[in-house]
C-alpha cells in the first residue's frame, strides 16, 4: 500500500464500539513482535521510545532520534504507523509545520499531539492549540497525506480522579475546538471513570481514544462505552522490561 492507502486504512479502523487496539511499541523490534501477534496497526508511545534510548519523557529524546526510529519502523513493517509526537517539538505553528513534514517523510500516517506545555506548566490555551492543530492539518493536506491527528488533551491527566467530573466541560470544550481545527480523533488519557468515558464518547463527534495501563486487562468493557481506540501507553514497555529483568535475575541470583 502507498502511504495514503495506509493513512485511509488507519482512519477506517477507528470504530465506536469496535475499537482499534494499539499495544504501544518503541522500536522496529517491538513493532515486528506486535505485528506478528496480529495487530492491524502500530503506534509508538513517547515514554517508551524515550526510555528505550535512555531518555526521560517530555521531548528529552532528540527529535532526530525519534524520526530515525519512526523511519526504521516504517521501513521494516507495512502496517499503518502512528507516532506519539508529544507537542511536536515546537510551539510556533511555522516551526511545527516543518517538523510535521519531516514526520510524514518517515512514512508515519498518524500522530498523537498533546495540549500540555511540554517542559512547562499546565496546558496551552485553546486558541494556541487550535492554531497548532490547524498548522498540522494544513501541512498534511499540502503533502497529500490524510494524516490522522489524534488530538490529546491532558485535562484529566494533570488532575486527580475526584476532580474529573468537574473538568468535563473544559475537556468537551477543548474537544469541540480541536474537532473544528482539523483533528481526526480525541485522546483523553487519565480518564478512567466508565460513565465519564461514555459521556465523552456520546458528546464528541470524533473517534475517542481511551488509555488502559493494565496489559492483562479485558478491553471489552471499554469498547462497550463507545471508544474507538484503546492504547496502552508505557505499560507494554514496562511489562517487557520487568519480564526481561526477571529472566536475567535467574542467572545472577
Amino acid at each position: 500500500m502507498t502511504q495514503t492507502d495506509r493513512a485511509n486504512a488507519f482512519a477506517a479502523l477507528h470504530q465506536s464500539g469496535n475499537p482499534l487496539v494499539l499495544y504501544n511499541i518503541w522500536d522496529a523490534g517491538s513493532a515486528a513482535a506486535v505485528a506478528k501477534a496480529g495487530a492491524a496497526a502500530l503506534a509508538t508511545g513517547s515514554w517508551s521510545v524515550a526510555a528505550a534510548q535512555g531518555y526521560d519523557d517530555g521531548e528529552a529524546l532528540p527529535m532526530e532520534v525519534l524520526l530515525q526510529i519512526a523511519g526504521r519502523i516504517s521501513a521494516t513493517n507495512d502496517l499503518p504507523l502512528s507516532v506519539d509526537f508529544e507537542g511536536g517539538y515546537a510551539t510556533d505553528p511555522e516551526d511545527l509545520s516543518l517538523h510535521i513534514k519531516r514526520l510524514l517523510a518517515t512514512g508515519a500516517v498518524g500522530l498523537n499531539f498533546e495540549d500540555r506545555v511540554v517542559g512547562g506548566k499546565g496546558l496551552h490555551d485553546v486558541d494556541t492549540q487550535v492554531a497548532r492543530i490547524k498548522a498540522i492539518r494544513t501541512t498534511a493536506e499540502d503533502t497529500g497525506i490524510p494524516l490522522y491527528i489524534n488530538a490529546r488533551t491532558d485535562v484529566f491527566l494533570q488532575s486527580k480522579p475526584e476532580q474529573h467530573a468537574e473538568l468535563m466541560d473544559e475537556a468537551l470544550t477543548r474537544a469541540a475546538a480541536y474537532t473544528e481545527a482539523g483533528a481526526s480523533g480525541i485522546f483523553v488519557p487519565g480518564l478512567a471513570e466508565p460513565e465519564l468515558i461514555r459521556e465523552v464518547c456520546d458528546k464528541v463527534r470524533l473517534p475517542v481514544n481511551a488509555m488502559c495501563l493494565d496489559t492483562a486487562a479485558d478491553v471489552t468493557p471499554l469498547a462497550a462505552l463507545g471508544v474507538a481506540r484503546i492504547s496502552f501507553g508505557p505499560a507494554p514497555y514496562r511489562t517487557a522490561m520487568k519480564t526481561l529483568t526477571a529472566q536475567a535475575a535467574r542467572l545472577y541470583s
Side-chain angles (χ1 to χ4, degrees):
M1 292 192 293
T2 66
Q3 189 174 4
T4 297
D5 290 336
R6 291 196 301 274
N8 288 327
F10 184 67
L13 291 169
H14 294 74
Q15 300 176 17
S16 176
N18 182 28
L20 169 63
V21 178
L22 295 167
Y23 198 74
N24 297 86
I25 57 171
W26 52 92
D27 60 12
S30 57
V34 171
K36 186 177 181 179
L42 301 169
T44 66
S46 66
W47 192 97
S48 306
V49 174
Q53 300 300 319
Y55 289 91
D56 290 332
D57 195 20
E59 296 182 3
L61 177 74
M63 188 177 70
E64 296 290 341
V65 178
L66 172 60
L67 294 175
Q68 182 181 31
I69 292 169
R72 287 306 301 157
I73 295 171
S74 292
T76 56
N77 207 295
D78 291 331
L79 293 178
L81 170 66
S82 180
V83 173
D84 188 343
F85 209 40
E86 300 191 81
Y89 287 79
T91 298
D92 181 77
E94 291 186 6
D95 292 335
L96 180 59
S97 178
L98 295 175
H99 295 173
I100 294 302
K101 289 179 182 178
R102 298 188 63 192
L103 177 66
L104 287 168
T106 68
V109 299
L111 84 163
N112 278 5
F113 185 65
E114 60 199 49
D115 59 8
R116 76 181 177 100
V117 179
V118 179
K121 294 182 179 180
L123 310 182
H124 290 292
D125 64 72
V126 174
D127 289 343
T128 296
Q129 190 66 1
V130 161
R132 283 152 48 84
I133 293 172
K134 285 182 176 179
I136 295 174
R137 177 54 65 207
T138 298
T139 301
E141 289 178 346
D142 288 345
T143 60
I145 304 298
L147 181 68
Y148 193 99
I149 304 172
N150 199 35
R152 166 177 148 173
T153 179
D154 279 13
V155 168
F156 302 113
L157 201 59
Q158 294 194 358
S159 59
K160 298 178 181 179
E162 57 268 27
Q163 299 172 312
H164 287 179
E166 62 191 59
L167 292 172
M168 285 291 289
D169 285 347
E170 180 182 354
L172 292 171
T173 296
R174 286 180 174 270
Y178 301 167
T179 298
E180 292 301 320
S184 310
I186 300 296
F187 184 21
V188 286
L191 187 63
E193 171 57 40
E195 288 310 309
L196 294 182
I197 294 175
R198 187 190 302 277
E199 182 178 351
V200 171
C201 293
D202 288 344
K203 294 183 177 179
V204 172
R205 299 205 317 264
L206 298 177
V208 173
N209 179 183
M211 184 165 66
C212 176
L213 292 177
D214 180 0
T215 58
D218 175 9
V219 298
T220 303
L222 265 180
L225 298 176
V227 301
R229 174 168 168 167
I230 299 170
S231 53
F232 285 80
Y237 178 86
R238 289 170 172 162
T239 298
M241 294 306 106
K242 183 178 180 180
T243 299
L244 182 62
T245 297
Q247 290 174 338
R250 294 187 297 105
L251 302 174
Y252 304 123
S253 58

